[in-house]
Amino acid sequence: MTNNAQWSSRLGFILASAGSAIGLGAIWKFPFWAGANGGAAFIIPYIVFTFTIGLALVMAEVAIGRRGRGSVVSAMRRVGGRWFGTLGALGVLTSFFILSYYSVVGGWCVAYLWDAIQGNVTINDANLLKSHFGHLVSTPELNVFWHFVFLTLTCGTVALGVESGIERLSKYLMPTLFILMLAIIVRGLTLPGAWAGVEYLFNFSWDKVTSNAILNAMGFTFFSLSLGAGILVTYGSYLSDKTDVPNASLWVAVLAIQAALLAGLMIMPAVFAFGLEPNGGPGLVFVTVPMIFSHIPFGGVFALLFYICLLVAALTSAVSLLEVVTAYLQNEWHLSRKVATIVNWVSLFLLGSVSALSFGPWSGFTVSGRNFFDLLDYICSNYMMPLGGFAVAILAGWVAWPMMRQQITAVKPYSEAALSLLRIMIAFLAPILVAVAIYQGLFGG
């Protein structure tokens, strides 16, 4: 079964792909990861990884998808043979696992949007906001309910057909999100003590450069670019043959980095201005942002608009993850889109509920100090996504390089030097760095 759907424009593909990165990586994850890993000691390796192996693997995934024209499994099988089709199933599994716990985070976005509608988020009391967030995540019925609501929104969107919907929403609401982030940054930087947050974020110190910081930067590169989860292979299968793959891929990388840095500037100055911990976890975005709104004229309106856009960003990411699994069930299991969505809805609700409960009644169940939510996040970010990227690198750099070269030069020619550098990046550098990152994660190197 070949998927004949296509993006109506190059911009639609870029914004939808960047929307996946923004929703998954930038806003709720980057600020506290950067803070916990020494600021610039994390940011610099992240940027280097993104513009080298990250960009090369984005091009590889998009090229495989456009050539294979199908789900990640069928596309990789068509390009590389049956064995690579099996490896493509790792991307499906990765997307499924990520969406199961990401839906819990999406539920928090829905909950805070509901609070914003009621005018209950513009509070200038850090302890009260921390207590409110703690109550949300630790109360079983609340956390599971909002997870249910977000997952239902995601599955409902996919069941109706998502290509044109994602593209249309991305074109209008992703730029709006950027504009609102800039407005919050400007206000946040004027708060007393805010500049200490900027210094913390960008000051560089060699003693902060650790193997753990580099490992986390590597994992975040895959997470923020949606690599190794089959998303870009799936989205690439919708890309027109008239689109230049390197140029479009570069824009995805640039926007992903831009969104991450803006998120850091939106959160970290406020963290220091209000005396919060810079490594306060994903809930940080749900504590500091409301405090900023309490200092902005018409803060309630800003809060409402922000959480609407945040929810849209979250939905864009969730839909992209669900589309990977749905396309697989349609292509390989021959299920209708509606039946495939129902299967996903039930299974994701059950698995996601375990993540939701891991902040409350099941918080005592930990593996290596991580609850179920954190454990899934750690495994997906540091092992499954890099392994998926490793498979793509071997396929594009070694097995199907002639195909890769043809896709890269399909619209306009590139020099032999540029193509050689790209192949070195995909075939040699990417597998080596991924292997090192995984080894460090396993053995604490």
Side-chain angles (χ1 to χ4, degrees):
M1 180 188 296
T2 301
N3 200 321
N4 294 318
Q6 282 197 347
W7 304 109
S8 67
S9 67
R10 166 179 162 274
L11 180 63
F13 163 76
I14 291 171
L15 289 178
S17 300
S20 174
I22 292 167
L24 273 174
I27 296 172
W28 74 274
K29 197 165 188 175
F30 179 83
F32 81 86
W33 265 36
N37 287 281
F42 171 86
I43 293 173
I44 292 173
Y46 160 62
I47 292 175
V48 171
F49 281 136
T50 297
F51 280 130
T52 53
I53 60 170
L55 177 58
L57 289 175
V58 168
M59 285 190 268
E61 289 204 18
V62 173
I64 290 169
R66 188 164 73 174
R67 179 61 178 266
R69 295 293 185 194
S71 72
V72 60
V73 174
S74 56
M76 291 184 70
R77 184 170 59 234
R78 286 180 184 130
V79 171
R82 183 176 297 276
W83 192 74
F84 279 98
T86 302
L87 287 177
L90 177 65
V92 176
L93 197 60
T94 302
S95 283
F96 180 83
F97 283 150
I98 291 174
L99 183 53
S100 72
Y101 69 82
Y102 179 62
S103 180
V104 178
V105 180
W108 302 342
C109 297
V110 180
Y112 271 73
L113 174 59
W114 178 245
D115 284 342
I117 291 172
Q118 297 178 302
N120 294 333
V121 295
T122 52
I123 301 170
N124 185 23
D125 185 332
N127 291 327
L128 184 60
L129 287 165
K130 285 180 180 179
S131 175
H132 177 70
F133 180 74
H135 176 71
L136 168 65
V137 301
S138 63
T139 305
E141 57 270 24
L142 279 179
N143 215 9
V144 171
F145 171 74
W146 291 117
H147 156 59
F148 166 84
V149 172
F150 180 81
L151 186 61
T152 301
L153 287 172
T154 303
C155 291
T157 304
V158 171
L160 293 172
V162 300
E163 290 85 1
S164 61
I166 297 174
E167 184 170 356
R168 191 174 298 116
L169 286 174
S170 299
K171 281 182 176 179
Y172 291 105
L173 293 177
M174 287 301 103
T176 303
L177 179 60
F178 275 101
I179 292 170
L180 286 169
M181 289 173 75
L182 287 171
I184 295 168
I185 288 169
V186 170
R187 184 62 185 94
L189 288 175
T190 63
L191 296 170
W195 197 251
V198 178
E199 293 177 347
Y200 184 84
L201 198 60
F202 293 108
N203 272 358
F204 181 79
S205 175
W206 277 109
D207 63 348
K208 299 288 187 180
V209 181
T210 64
S211 60
N212 193 55
I214 294 172
L215 169 67
N216 285 332
M218 180 76 191
F220 185 75
T221 297
F222 278 85
F223 204 73
S224 71
L225 290 174
S226 304
L227 293 170
I231 293 172
L232 292 174
V233 176
T234 304
Y235 276 10
S237 71
Y238 307 149
L239 194 62
S240 166
D241 290 328
K242 298 178 181 178
T243 299
D244 183 41
V245 169
N247 181 268
S249 300
L250 178 61
W251 272 107
V252 172
V254 168
L255 289 177
I257 289 176
Q258 178 180 316
L261 293 178
L262 286 177
L265 286 170
M266 183 174 67
I267 300 297
M268 215 42 69
V271 167
F272 280 77
F274 296 115
L276 303 175
E277 290 297 322
N279 57 346
L284 201 58
V285 73
F286 298 105
V287 175
T288 58
V289 170
M291 292 187 73
I292 297 172
F293 288 140
S294 70
H295 289 79
I296 298 176
F298 306 105
V301 175
F302 270 90
L304 180 62
L305 291 174
F306 175 80
Y307 285 112
I308 288 173
C309 291
L310 190 65
L311 176 59
V312 170
L315 277 173
T316 304
S317 291
V319 167
S320 68
L321 289 163
L322 187 57
E323 184 68 11
V324 172
V325 187
T326 301
Y328 165 75
L329 293 177
Q330 287 183 280
N331 279 245
E332 304 298 320
W333 290 21
H334 307 294
L335 300 180
S336 69
R337 174 170 286 268
K338 188 170 292 186
V339 172
T341 306
I342 292 172
V343 170
N344 283 327
W345 186 91
V346 173
S347 52
L348 285 165
F349 175 72
L350 293 174
L351 184 60
S353 293
V354 178
S355 287
L357 294 171
S358 68
F359 292 97
W362 294 348
S363 60
F365 174 76
T366 61
V367 178
S368 299
R370 297 181 177 89
N371 63 24
F372 188 78
F373 177 102
D374 292 330
L375 182 65
L376 270 185
D377 181 30
Y378 180 78
I379 292 172
C380 289
S381 297
N382 292 292
Y383 303 115
M384 294 184 72
M385 295 182 82
L387 279 172
F390 187 88
V392 167
I394 298 301
L395 174 56
W398 293 96
V399 177
W401 175 251
M403 174 282 302
M404 182 71 188
R405 182 188 176 99
Q406 185 275 326
Q407 287 291 320
I408 293 297
T409 59
V411 174
K412 68 178 184 180
Y414 287 87
S415 69
E416 285 299 320
L419 291 170
S420 297
L421 180 61
L422 178 62
R423 188 176 189 187
I424 290 172
M425 211 93 72
I426 295 174
F428 295 98
L429 189 58
I432 290 172
L433 290 179
V434 170
V436 168
I438 293 173
Y439 178 85
Q440 287 178 327
L442 284 172
F443 302 106

